[in-house]
Coordinates of all heavy atoms in Angstrom, one line a residue:
M1 N -12.5 15.3 -12.5 CA -13.0 16.6 -12.1 C -14.5 16.7 -12.3 O -15.0 16.0 -13.3 CB -12.2 17.6 -12.9 CG -11.7 18.7 -12.1 SD -10.8 20.0 -13.0 CE -10.0 19.3 -14.3
K2 N -15.2 17.4 -11.5 CA -16.6 17.6 -11.7 C -17.0 18.9 -11.0 O -16.2 19.5 -10.2 CB -17.4 16.4 -11.1 CG -17.2 16.2 -9.6 CD -18.0 15.0 -9.2 CE -17.4 13.7 -9.5 NZ -17.9 12.6 -8.9
H3 N -18.2 19.4 -11.3 CA -18.8 20.5 -10.6 C -19.7 20.0 -9.5 O -20.4 19.0 -9.6 CB -19.7 21.3 -11.5 CG -18.9 22.2 -12.5 ND1 -18.0 23.2 -12.1 CD2 -18.9 22.1 -13.8 CE1 -17.5 23.7 -13.2 NE2 -18.0 23.1 -14.3
L4 N -19.6 20.6 -8.3 CA -20.4 20.2 -7.2 C -21.1 21.5 -6.7 O -20.5 22.5 -6.4 CB -19.5 19.7 -6.1 CG -20.2 19.2 -4.8 CD1 -21.2 18.0 -5.1 CD2 -19.3 18.9 -3.7
I5 N -22.4 21.4 -6.7 CA -23.3 22.5 -6.1 C -23.7 22.1 -4.7 O -24.3 21.1 -4.5 CB -24.5 22.7 -7.0 CG1 -24.1 23.1 -8.4 CG2 -25.4 23.8 -6.4 CD1 -25.2 23.2 -9.4
I6 N -23.2 23.0 -3.8 CA -23.5 22.8 -2.4 C -24.6 23.7 -1.9 O -24.5 24.9 -2.1 CB -22.3 23.0 -1.5 CG1 -21.1 22.1 -2.0 CG2 -22.6 22.7 0.0 CD1 -19.8 22.4 -1.3
H7 N -25.8 23.2 -1.5 CA -26.9 24.0 -1.0 C -26.6 24.4 0.4 O -26.7 23.5 1.3 CB -28.2 23.2 -1.2 CG -28.5 22.9 -2.6 ND1 -29.0 23.8 -3.5 CD2 -28.3 21.7 -3.3 CE1 -29.2 23.2 -4.7 NE2 -28.8 22.0 -4.6
G8 N -26.4 25.6 0.7 CA -26.0 26.1 2.0 C -24.5 26.4 2.1 O -23.8 26.1 1.1
D9 N -24.0 26.9 3.2 CA -22.6 27.2 3.3 C -22.0 26.4 4.4 O -22.2 26.7 5.6 CB -22.4 28.7 3.5 CG -21.0 29.2 3.5 OD1 -20.1 28.3 3.3 OD2 -20.7 30.4 3.7
P10 N -21.1 25.4 4.1 CA -20.5 24.7 5.1 C -19.2 25.3 5.7 O -18.5 24.8 6.5 CB -20.1 23.3 4.4 CG -19.9 23.7 3.0 CD -20.9 24.9 2.8
G11 N -18.9 26.5 5.2 CA -17.8 27.3 5.7 C -16.4 26.9 5.0 O -15.4 27.2 5.6
I12 N -16.5 26.4 3.8 CA -15.3 26.1 3.1 C -14.9 27.2 2.2 O -15.7 28.1 1.8 CB -15.4 24.8 2.3 CG1 -16.5 24.9 1.2 CG2 -15.7 23.6 3.2 CD1 -16.6 23.7 0.3
R13 N -13.6 27.2 1.8 CA -13.0 28.2 0.9 C -12.2 27.5 -0.1 O -12.0 26.3 -0.1 CB -12.2 29.3 1.7 CG -13.0 30.1 2.7 CD -14.1 30.9 2.0 NE -14.9 31.6 3.0 CZ -16.2 31.3 3.3 NH1 -16.7 30.2 2.7 NH2 -16.9 31.9 4.1
K14 N -11.5 28.3 -1.0 CA -10.7 27.7 -2.0 C -9.6 26.8 -1.4 O -9.1 27.1 -0.4 CB -10.0 28.8 -2.8 CG -9.2 28.3 -4.0 CD -8.6 29.5 -4.7 CE -7.7 29.0 -5.8 NZ -7.0 30.1 -6.5
D15 N -9.3 25.7 -2.1 CA -8.4 24.7 -1.6 C -8.8 23.9 -0.4 O -8.0 23.2 0.2 CB -7.0 25.2 -1.4 CG -6.3 25.7 -2.7 OD1 -6.6 25.1 -3.7 OD2 -5.5 26.6 -2.7
A16 N -10.1 23.9 -0.1 CA -10.6 23.1 1.0 C -10.6 21.6 0.5 O -10.6 21.3 -0.6 CB -12.1 23.4 1.3
I17 N -10.5 20.7 1.5 CA -10.5 19.3 1.2 C -11.8 18.7 1.8 O -12.0 18.9 3.0 CB -9.2 18.6 1.9 CG1 -8.0 19.2 1.2 CG2 -9.3 17.1 1.6 CD1 -6.7 18.7 1.9
I18 N -12.5 18.0 1.0 CA -13.8 17.5 1.4 C -13.8 16.0 1.2 O -13.0 15.5 0.3 CB -15.0 18.1 0.7 CG1 -14.9 18.0 -0.8 CG2 -15.1 19.6 1.1 CD1 -16.1 18.4 -1.5
N19 N -14.5 15.2 1.9 CA -14.7 13.8 1.6 C -16.0 13.7 0.9 O -17.1 13.8 1.5 CB -14.7 13.0 3.0 CG -14.6 11.5 2.7 OD1 -14.6 11.1 1.6 ND2 -14.5 10.8 3.8
Y20 N -15.9 13.4 -0.4 CA -17.1 13.3 -1.2 C -17.0 12.0 -2.1 O -16.0 11.7 -2.7 CB -17.2 14.5 -2.2 CG -18.5 14.5 -3.0 CD1 -19.7 14.7 -2.5 CD2 -18.4 14.2 -4.4 CE1 -20.8 14.7 -3.2 CE2 -19.5 14.1 -5.1 CZ -20.7 14.4 -4.6 OH -21.9 14.4 -5.3
D21 N -18.1 11.2 -2.1 CA -18.1 10.0 -2.8 C -17.1 9.0 -2.4 O -16.5 8.2 -3.1 CB -17.9 10.3 -4.3 CG -19.1 9.8 -5.2 OD1 -20.1 9.4 -4.6 OD2 -19.0 10.0 -6.4
G22 N -16.8 9.0 -1.0 CA -15.8 8.1 -0.5 C -14.4 8.4 -0.8 O -13.5 7.5 -0.6
E23 N -14.1 9.6 -1.3 CA -12.8 9.9 -1.7 C -12.5 11.4 -1.3 O -13.4 12.2 -1.3 CB -12.6 9.7 -3.2 CG -11.3 10.0 -3.7 CD -11.3 9.7 -5.3 OE1 -12.3 9.2 -5.8 OE2 -10.2 10.0 -5.8
E24 N -11.3 11.7 -0.9 CA -10.9 13.1 -0.6 C -10.8 13.9 -1.9 O -10.1 13.5 -2.8 CB -9.6 13.2 0.2 CG -9.8 12.8 1.6 CD -8.6 13.2 2.5 OE1 -7.6 13.7 2.0 OE2 -8.7 13.0 3.7
Q25 N -11.5 15.0 -2.0 CA -11.5 15.8 -3.1 C -11.1 17.2 -2.7 O -11.3 17.7 -1.6 CB -13.0 15.9 -3.7 CG -13.6 14.6 -4.1 CD -13.1 14.2 -5.5 OE1 -12.8 15.0 -6.3 NE2 -13.0 12.9 -5.6
I26 N -10.4 18.0 -3.6 CA -10.0 19.3 -3.4 C -10.9 20.3 -4.1 O -11.2 20.0 -5.3 CB -8.5 19.5 -3.9 CG1 -7.6 18.5 -3.1 CG2 -8.1 20.9 -3.7 CD1 -6.2 18.4 -3.7
C27 N -11.3 21.3 -3.5 CA -12.1 22.4 -4.1 C -11.2 23.4 -4.8 O -10.6 24.2 -4.1 CB -13.0 23.1 -3.1 SG -14.2 22.0 -2.3
F28 N -11.0 23.2 -6.1 CA -10.1 24.1 -6.8 C -10.6 25.5 -7.0 O -9.9 26.4 -7.0 CB -9.8 23.5 -8.2 CG -9.2 22.1 -8.3 CD1 -9.7 21.1 -9.0 CD2 -8.0 21.9 -7.5 CE1 -9.1 19.9 -9.1 CE2 -7.4 20.7 -7.6 CZ -8.0 19.6 -8.3
N29 N -11.9 25.6 -7.1 CA -12.6 26.9 -7.4 C -13.9 26.9 -6.7 O -14.6 25.9 -6.7 CB -12.7 27.1 -8.9 CG -13.2 28.5 -9.2 OD1 -13.0 29.4 -8.5 ND2 -13.9 28.6 -10.3
I30 N -14.3 28.0 -6.1 CA -15.6 28.1 -5.4 C -16.2 29.5 -5.9 O -15.6 30.5 -5.8 CB -15.5 28.1 -3.9 CG1 -15.0 26.7 -3.5 CG2 -16.9 28.3 -3.3 CD1 -14.8 26.6 -2.0
A31 N -17.5 29.4 -6.4 CA -18.2 30.6 -6.7 C -19.5 30.6 -5.8 O -20.2 29.7 -5.8 CB -18.6 30.6 -8.2
R32 N -19.7 31.7 -5.1 CA -20.8 31.9 -4.2 C -22.0 32.5 -5.0 O -21.9 33.6 -5.5 CB -20.4 32.7 -3.0 CG -21.3 32.8 -1.9 CD -20.7 33.6 -0.8 NE -21.6 33.7 0.3 CZ -21.6 32.9 1.4 NH1 -20.8 31.9 1.5 NH2 -22.5 33.1 2.4
Q33 N -23.1 31.8 -5.0 CA -24.3 32.2 -5.8 C -25.5 32.4 -4.8 O -25.6 31.7 -3.8 CB -24.7 31.1 -6.8 CG -23.6 30.7 -7.7 CD -23.2 31.8 -8.7 OE1 -24.0 32.6 -9.1 NE2 -21.9 31.8 -9.1
G34 N -26.4 33.3 -5.2 CA -27.6 33.5 -4.5 C -27.5 34.4 -3.3 O -28.3 34.3 -2.4
E35 N -26.5 35.3 -3.2 CA -26.4 36.2 -2.1 C -27.5 37.2 -2.0 O -28.1 37.5 -1.0 CB -25.0 36.9 -2.2 CG -24.4 37.3 -0.9 CD -24.0 36.3 0.1 OE1 -24.8 35.5 0.6 OE2 -22.8 36.2 0.4
W36 N -27.8 37.8 -3.2 CA -28.8 38.9 -3.2 C -30.1 38.4 -3.8 O -31.2 38.7 -3.3 CB -28.3 40.1 -4.0 CG -27.1 40.7 -3.4 CD1 -25.8 40.5 -3.8 CD2 -27.1 41.5 -2.2 NE1 -25.0 41.2 -2.9 CE2 -25.7 41.9 -2.0 CE3 -28.0 42.1 -1.4 CZ2 -25.3 42.6 -1.0 CZ3 -27.6 42.9 -0.4 CH2 -26.3 43.2 -0.2
H37 N -30.1 37.7 -4.9 CA -31.3 37.2 -5.5 C -31.1 35.7 -5.8 O -29.9 35.2 -5.9 CB -31.5 37.9 -6.9 CG -31.6 39.4 -6.8 ND1 -32.6 40.0 -6.2 CD2 -30.7 40.3 -7.1 CE1 -32.4 41.3 -6.3 NE2 -31.2 41.5 -6.8
G38 N -32.1 35.0 -5.9 CA -32.0 33.6 -6.2 C -32.6 32.7 -5.2 O -33.7 33.0 -4.6
P39 N -32.0 31.6 -4.9 CA -32.6 30.6 -4.0 C -32.7 31.1 -2.6 O -32.1 32.1 -2.2 CB -31.7 29.4 -4.1 CG -30.4 29.9 -4.6 CD -30.7 31.1 -5.4
D40 N -33.5 30.4 -1.7 CA -33.7 30.9 -0.3 C -32.4 30.8 0.5 O -32.3 31.4 1.6 CB -34.8 30.1 0.3 CG -34.6 28.6 0.3 OD1 -33.7 28.1 -0.4 OD2 -35.3 27.9 1.1
R41 N -31.5 30.0 0.1 CA -30.2 30.0 0.8 C -29.0 29.9 -0.2 O -29.2 29.6 -1.4 CB -30.1 28.8 1.8 CG -30.3 27.5 1.1 CD -30.3 26.4 2.2 NE -30.6 25.1 1.5 CZ -30.2 23.9 2.0 NH1 -29.6 23.8 3.1 NH2 -30.5 22.8 1.3
V42 N -27.9 30.3 0.2 CA -26.7 30.4 -0.6 C -26.3 29.1 -1.2 O -26.6 28.0 -0.6 CB -25.5 30.9 0.2 CG1 -24.2 30.7 -0.5 CG2 -25.7 32.4 0.6
Q43 N -25.8 29.1 -2.4 CA -25.3 27.9 -3.1 C -23.8 28.2 -3.4 O -23.4 29.3 -3.8 CB -26.0 27.6 -4.4 CG -27.4 27.2 -4.3 CD -28.0 27.0 -5.6 OE1 -27.5 27.3 -6.7 NE2 -29.2 26.3 -5.6
L44 N -22.9 27.2 -3.1 CA -21.5 27.2 -3.5 C -21.4 26.3 -4.7 O -21.7 25.2 -4.7 CB -20.6 26.8 -2.4 CG -20.7 27.6 -1.1 CD1 -19.7 27.0 -0.1 CD2 -20.4 29.0 -1.3
W45 N -20.9 26.9 -5.8 CA -20.6 26.2 -7.0 C -19.1 25.9 -7.1 O -18.3 26.8 -7.3 CB -21.1 26.9 -8.3 CG -22.6 27.1 -8.4 CD1 -23.5 26.9 -7.4 CD2 -23.3 27.5 -9.5 NE1 -24.8 27.2 -7.8 CE2 -24.7 27.5 -9.1 CE3 -23.0 27.8 -10.8 CZ2 -25.7 27.9 -10.0 CZ3 -24.0 28.2 -11.7 CH2 -25.3 28.2 -11.3
C46 N -18.7 24.6 -6.9 CA -17.3 24.3 -6.7 C -16.9 23.4 -7.9 O -17.6 22.6 -8.4 CB -17.1 23.5 -5.5 SG -17.8 24.2 -4.0
T47 N -15.6 23.6 -8.3 CA -15.0 22.7 -9.2 C -14.1 21.8 -8.3 O -13.2 22.3 -7.6 CB -14.1 23.4 -10.2 OG1 -14.9 24.3 -10.9 CG2 -13.5 22.4 -11.2
I48 N -14.4 20.5 -8.2 CA -13.6 19.6 -7.3 C -12.9 18.6 -8.1 O -13.2 18.2 -9.3 CB -14.5 19.0 -6.3 CG1 -15.5 18.0 -7.0 CG2 -15.2 20.0 -5.4 CD1 -16.3 17.2 -6.0
G49 N -11.8 18.0 -7.5 CA -11.1 17.0 -8.2 C -10.0 16.5 -7.2 O -9.8 17.0 -6.1
T50 N -9.2 15.5 -7.7 CA -8.1 15.0 -6.9 C -6.9 15.8 -7.1 O -6.8 16.6 -8.0 CB -7.9 13.5 -7.2 OG1 -7.5 13.4 -8.6 CG2 -9.1 12.6 -6.9
E51 N -5.9 15.5 -6.3 CA -4.6 16.2 -6.4 C -4.0 15.9 -7.8 O -3.3 16.8 -8.4 CB -3.6 15.8 -5.3 CG -2.3 16.6 -5.3 CD -2.5 18.1 -5.1 OE1 -3.3 18.4 -4.2 OE2 -1.8 18.9 -5.7
D52 N -4.2 14.8 -8.4 CA -3.7 14.4 -9.7 C -4.3 15.3 -10.8 O -3.7 15.5 -11.9 CB -4.0 13.0 -10.1 CG -3.3 12.0 -9.1 OD1 -2.3 12.4 -8.5 OD2 -3.8 10.9 -9.0
E53 N -5.5 15.9 -10.6 CA -6.1 16.7 -11.6 C -5.8 18.2 -11.4 O -6.3 19.0 -12.2 CB -7.6 16.5 -11.5 CG -8.0 15.1 -11.8 CD -9.5 14.8 -11.5 OE1 -10.0 15.2 -10.4 OE2 -10.1 14.1 -12.4
R54 N -5.0 18.6 -10.4 CA -4.7 20.0 -10.2 C -4.1 20.7 -11.4 O -4.4 21.8 -11.8 CB -3.9 20.2 -8.9 CG -3.6 21.6 -8.6 CD -2.8 21.9 -7.4 NE -3.4 21.5 -6.2 CZ -4.3 22.3 -5.5 NH1 -4.6 23.5 -6.0 NH2 -4.9 21.9 -4.4
E55 N -3.1 20.0 -12.0 CA -2.4 20.6 -13.1 C -3.3 20.8 -14.3 O -3.3 21.8 -15.0 CB -1.2 19.7 -13.5 CG -0.4 20.3 -14.6 CD 0.9 19.5 -15.0 OE1 1.2 18.5 -14.2 OE2 1.5 19.9 -15.9
T56 N -4.2 19.8 -14.5 CA -5.2 20.0 -15.6 C -6.1 21.2 -15.3 O -6.4 22.0 -16.2 CB -6.1 18.7 -15.6 OG1 -5.2 17.6 -15.9 CG2 -7.1 18.8 -16.7
F57 N -6.5 21.4 -14.1 CA -7.3 22.6 -13.7 C -6.6 23.9 -13.9 O -7.1 24.8 -14.5 CB -7.8 22.5 -12.3 CG -8.5 23.7 -11.8 CD1 -9.8 23.9 -12.2 CD2 -7.9 24.7 -11.0 CE1 -10.5 25.1 -11.8 CE2 -8.5 25.8 -10.6 CZ -9.8 26.0 -11.0
E58 N -5.3 23.9 -13.4 CA -4.5 25.2 -13.5 C -4.2 25.6 -14.9 O -4.1 26.7 -15.3 CB -3.3 25.0 -12.7 CG -3.6 25.0 -11.2 CD -2.3 24.8 -10.3 OE1 -1.3 24.5 -10.8 OE2 -2.5 24.9 -9.1
K59 N -4.0 24.6 -15.8 CA -3.6 24.8 -17.2 C -4.9 24.9 -18.1 O -4.8 25.2 -19.3 CB -2.7 23.8 -17.7 CG -1.3 23.8 -17.2 CD -0.5 22.8 -17.8 CE 0.9 22.9 -17.3 NZ 1.8 21.9 -17.9
R60 N -6.1 24.8 -17.4 CA -7.4 24.9 -18.1 C -7.4 23.9 -19.3 O -7.9 24.2 -20.4 CB -7.7 26.3 -18.6 CG -7.6 27.3 -17.5 CD -8.9 27.2 -16.7 NE -9.0 28.4 -15.8 CZ -9.1 28.3 -14.5 NH1 -9.1 27.1 -13.9 NH2 -9.3 29.3 -13.8
E61 N -7.0 22.7 -19.1 CA -7.0 21.6 -20.1 C -8.3 20.8 -20.0 O -8.3 19.6 -20.1 CB -5.8 20.7 -20.0 CG -4.5 21.5 -20.2 CD -3.3 20.6 -20.0 OE1 -3.4 19.6 -19.3 OE2 -2.2 21.0 -20.5
Y62 N -9.4 21.5 -19.8 CA -10.7 20.8 -19.8 C -11.8 21.8 -20.3 O -11.5 22.9 -20.4 CB -11.0 20.3 -18.3 CG -11.2 21.5 -17.4 CD1 -12.5 21.9 -17.0 CD2 -10.1 22.2 -16.8 CE1 -12.7 22.9 -16.1 CE2 -10.3 23.2 -15.9 CZ -11.6 23.6 -15.6 OH -11.8 24.6 -14.7
V63 N -12.9 21.2 -20.6 CA -14.0 22.1 -21.0 C -15.0 22.1 -19.8 O -15.7 21.1 -19.5 CB -14.7 21.5 -22.3 CG1 -15.9 22.3 -22.7 CG2 -13.7 21.3 -23.4
P64 N -15.2 23.3 -19.2 CA -16.0 23.4 -18.0 C -17.5 22.9 -18.2 O -18.0 22.2 -17.3 CB -16.0 24.9 -17.6 CG -14.7 25.4 -18.2 CD -14.5 24.6 -19.5
M65 N -18.1 23.2 -19.3 CA -19.5 22.8 -19.5 C -19.6 21.3 -19.8 O -20.8 20.8 -19.8 CB -20.1 23.6 -20.7 CG -19.5 23.3 -22.0 SD -20.4 24.3 -23.2 CE -19.1 24.8 -24.3
H66 N -18.5 20.6 -20.0 CA -18.6 19.1 -20.2 C -18.4 18.3 -18.9 O -18.4 17.1 -18.9 CB -17.6 18.7 -21.2 CG -18.0 19.2 -22.6 ND1 -17.4 18.7 -23.7 CD2 -18.9 20.1 -23.0 CE1 -18.0 19.3 -24.8 NE2 -18.9 20.1 -24.4
L67 N -18.2 19.0 -17.8 CA -18.0 18.3 -16.5 C -19.3 17.9 -15.9 O -20.3 18.5 -16.1 CB -17.3 19.2 -15.5 CG -15.8 19.7 -15.8 CD1 -15.4 20.6 -14.7 CD2 -14.9 18.5 -15.9
D68 N -19.3 16.7 -15.3 CA -20.5 16.3 -14.6 C -20.9 17.2 -13.4 O -20.0 17.8 -12.8 CB -20.3 14.9 -14.0 CG -20.1 13.8 -15.1 OD1 -20.6 14.0 -16.2 OD2 -19.5 12.8 -14.8
V69 N -22.1 17.4 -13.2 CA -22.6 18.3 -12.1 C -23.4 17.4 -11.1 O -24.3 16.7 -11.5 CB -23.5 19.4 -12.7 CG1 -24.1 20.3 -11.6 CG2 -22.8 20.2 -13.7
E70 N -23.0 17.6 -9.9 CA -23.7 16.9 -8.8 C -24.1 17.9 -7.7 O -23.4 19.0 -7.6 CB -22.9 15.8 -8.2 CG -22.6 14.7 -9.3 CD -21.7 13.6 -8.8 OE1 -21.5 13.5 -7.6 OE2 -21.2 12.8 -9.6
T71 N -25.1 17.6 -6.9 CA -25.5 18.5 -5.8 C -25.5 17.8 -4.5 O -25.6 16.5 -4.4 CB -26.9 19.1 -6.1 OG1 -27.8 18.0 -6.1 CG2 -27.0 19.8 -7.4
I72 N -25.3 18.6 -3.4 CA -25.3 18.0 -2.1 C -25.7 19.1 -1.1 O -25.5 20.3 -1.4 CB -23.9 17.4 -1.7 CG1 -24.0 16.7 -0.4 CG2 -22.9 18.5 -1.6 CD1 -22.7 15.9 -0.1
D73 N -26.4 18.8 0.0 CA -26.7 19.7 1.1 C -25.4 20.0 1.9 O -24.6 19.0 2.1 CB -27.8 19.3 1.9 CG -29.2 19.4 1.3 OD1 -29.3 20.4 0.5 OD2 -30.1 18.6 1.6
A74 N -25.3 21.2 2.4 CA -24.1 21.5 3.2 C -24.0 20.6 4.5 O -22.9 20.3 4.9 CB -24.1 23.0 3.6
D75 N -25.2 20.3 5.0 CA -25.2 19.4 6.2 C -24.6 18.0 6.0 O -24.1 17.4 6.9 CB -26.6 19.3 6.8 CG -27.2 20.7 7.1 OD1 -26.4 21.6 7.4 OD2 -28.4 20.8 7.1
A76 N -24.8 17.5 4.8 CA -24.3 16.2 4.4 C -22.9 16.1 4.0 O -22.3 15.0 3.8 CB -25.2 15.6 3.3
L77 N -22.2 17.3 3.9 CA -20.9 17.3 3.4 C -19.9 17.1 4.5 O -20.0 17.7 5.6 CB -20.6 18.7 2.7 CG -19.3 18.9 2.0 CD1 -19.2 17.9 0.8 CD2 -19.1 20.3 1.6
D78 N -18.9 16.2 4.3 CA -17.9 15.9 5.3 C -16.6 16.8 5.0 O -15.9 16.5 4.0 CB -17.6 14.4 5.3 CG -16.6 14.0 6.3 OD1 -16.4 14.8 7.3 OD2 -15.9 13.0 6.2
V79 N -16.4 17.8 5.8 CA -15.2 18.7 5.5 C -14.0 18.2 6.3 O -14.0 18.0 7.5 CB -15.6 20.2 6.0 CG1 -14.4 21.1 5.8 CG2 -16.8 20.7 5.2
V80 N -12.9 17.9 5.6 CA -11.7 17.5 6.2 C -10.8 18.7 6.6 O -10.3 18.8 7.7 CB -10.9 16.6 5.2 CG1 -9.5 16.2 5.8 CG2 -11.7 15.3 4.8
K81 N -10.7 19.7 5.6 CA -9.9 20.9 5.8 C -10.7 22.0 5.2 O -11.0 22.0 4.0 CB -8.5 20.8 5.2 CG -7.6 21.9 5.4 CD -6.3 21.6 4.8 CE -5.4 22.9 4.8 NZ -4.2 22.7 4.0
A82 N -11.1 23.1 6.0 CA -12.0 24.1 5.5 C -11.4 25.0 4.5 O -12.2 25.6 3.7 CB -12.5 24.9 6.7
K83 N -10.1 25.3 4.5 CA -9.6 26.2 3.5 C -8.1 26.0 3.3 O -7.4 25.3 4.1 CB -9.8 27.7 4.0 CG -9.2 28.0 5.3 CD -9.6 29.4 5.7 CE -9.0 29.7 7.1 NZ -9.3 31.1 7.5
G84 N -7.5 26.5 2.3 CA -6.1 26.4 2.0 C -5.3 27.3 2.9 O -5.8 28.1 3.7
E85 N -4.0 27.2 2.9 CA -3.1 28.0 3.7 C -3.2 29.5 3.5 O -3.0 30.3 4.4 CB -1.7 27.5 3.6 CG -1.5 26.1 4.1 CD -0.1 25.6 3.8 OE1 0.8 26.4 3.6 OE2 0.1 24.3 4.0
L86 N -3.4 29.9 2.3 CA -3.4 31.3 1.9 C -4.8 32.0 2.0 O -4.9 33.2 1.7 CB -2.8 31.5 0.5 CG -1.3 31.1 0.4 CD1 -0.9 31.3 -1.0 CD2 -0.5 31.9 1.3
S87 N -5.8 31.2 2.3 CA -7.2 31.8 2.3 C -7.4 32.6 3.6 O -6.8 32.3 4.6 CB -8.2 30.7 2.4 OG -8.2 30.0 1.1
V88 N -8.1 33.7 3.4 CA -8.4 34.6 4.6 C -9.6 34.1 5.3 O -10.6 33.7 4.8 CB -8.6 36.0 4.1 CG1 -8.9 36.9 5.2 CG2 -7.3 36.5 3.4

């Protein structure tokens, strides 16, 4: 599991599937930052991981501040599925 900061908005929502680092990753959680104040464009702060890590995320069996943080531009992100089934 890791934190991924996306510069820009590629149109993804919770439970989106992205191809990152040569592997399909699930966006467990997305926080939208910079809407009113902050950088010149929106940032999405995502917690991503594989399907095997979903239970660890749901039970909060990790320390969020100890996760690796990586950044990417929205244009460079490969979106497989933009949102989960229950997302609006």
Side-chain angles (χ1 to χ4, degrees):
M1 227 180 327
K2 62 180 80 171
H3 286 297
L4 180 65
I5 299 175
I6 303 171
H7 298 282
D9 187 359
I12 62 174
R13 300 294 175 255
K14 184 178 176 182
D15 291 330
I17 299 173
I18 59 173
N19 191 354
Y20 183 73
D21 241 2
E23 185 177 354
E24 284 193 356
Q25 300 280 329
I26 300 169
C27 295
F28 298 130
N29 186 27
I30 298 177
R32 191 174 177 96
Q33 306 292 328
E35 205 65 300
W36 298 101
H37 304 288
D40 57 344
R41 59 184 175 156
V42 165
Q43 292 179 348
L44 299 181
W45 294 14
C46 309
T47 304
I48 64 171
T50 61
E51 186 62 41
D52 297 338
E53 296 170 317
R54 183 180 291 278
E55 186 176 351
T56 303
F57 173 78
E58 289 175 353
K59 290 183 176 182
R60 304 285 191 236
E61 295 175 340
Y62 67 100
V63 180
M65 68 178 139
H66 290 192
L67 294 178
D68 291 336
V69 178
E70 298 180 11
T71 63
I72 190 170
D73 282 331
D75 300 335
L77 188 66
D78 184 22
V79 178
V80 176
K81 183 178 170 188
K83 59 184 178 180
E85 294 176 14
L86 297 177
S87 294
V88 176

